[in-house]
Every structure is written in structure tokens, then in C-alpha cells.
Amino acid sequence: MEFSQILVAIGFVLMLHAAFSAVHFKGLAQLAGAQTTDHLIPLDVKLEVILSVLLTLIGTLSLAGAFVPFTGSQALGESSWTANITEAQAFHAYNHRNRFLRKRVEK
């Protein structure tokens, strides 16, 4: 297992533990007779959620690999963007309205 996968796994486990702790605290507060608006989630559970999100985020971003340059000219290299559009099959139009417009113009 890579280090980034371990970070993601630890982040998920911490998130599950924080959820269990929040539910456990809510049950204990209800047993103590507190109103539903009287108790908030404890600070340690909130910090555990923040830590787990950060660990999962860092692990996921490091799993993604190298990022592609943001500008199009760097991403495409020497080729132009018009060359890539004209080569794409989705932009080819074989049955378009030109044949109908040509008949109207010739009349």
C-alpha cells in the first residue's frame, strides 16, 4: 500500500469514529435529560472531523498523480486548438441545413 492510500484509509476511519462519537454523545445527552437544543457536538469530535477531511483530501490529491498545466497552450504542446477541434469526430456535420439553404438562395 502506498502512503497516500494509507492516508485515505486513516481519514475514513477517523470520520467513522467521529460519527460514532457524535451519535454516542447524543445518546448520552438524551439519557442525562438534556433537551435536543441544549447539547452541541463536542470540540474533540469537530477537530477529529476536520483532521479526517484533511487527511482524506491530502491522500486523494496525492493519489491523483501529476497535475496537467492550467493553460491550454502548455497542455496541447505544439499543436493548436483548432487542429484538435477539426480532427474530432463530434464536430463533423454531414447532414446539415446548407443543402436546404442553397436551394432557397438559388431560387
Side-chain angles (χ1 to χ4, degrees):
M1 260 180 116
E2 293 182 24
F3 181 69
S4 55
Q5 291 175 338
I6 293 171
L7 281 179
V8 172
I10 290 173
F12 279 133
V13 169
L14 278 177
M15 184 65 75
L16 288 174
H17 182 264
F20 178 76
S21 297
V23 170
H24 182 69
F25 178 76
K26 183 179 177 183
L28 288 177
Q30 286 177 352
L31 284 176
Q35 299 294 329
T36 57
T37 58
D38 289 346
H39 61 278
L40 298 174
I41 297 176
L43 181 64
D44 63 336
V45 175
K46 291 178 185 177
L47 291 176
E48 189 175 1
V49 167
I50 291 170
L51 179 67
S52 66
V53 167
L54 287 176
L55 286 177
T56 306
L57 178 70
I58 291 169
T60 305
L61 287 178
S62 60
L63 273 175
F67 290 110
V68 178
F70 186 70
T71 58
S73 61
Q74 291 176 350
L76 294 175
E78 296 296 321
S79 64
S80 67
W81 64 274
T82 55
N84 290 335
I85 289 176
T86 56
E87 292 174 3
Q89 292 290 327
F91 289 102
H92 292 194
Y94 296 104
N95 296 321
H96 51 80
R97 60 181 168 207
N98 186 22
R99 62 182 179 191
F100 300 112
L101 292 175
R102 190 173 355 138
K103 290 178 186 177
R104 291 181 120 186
V105 171
E106 289 176 359
K107 286 183 182 179

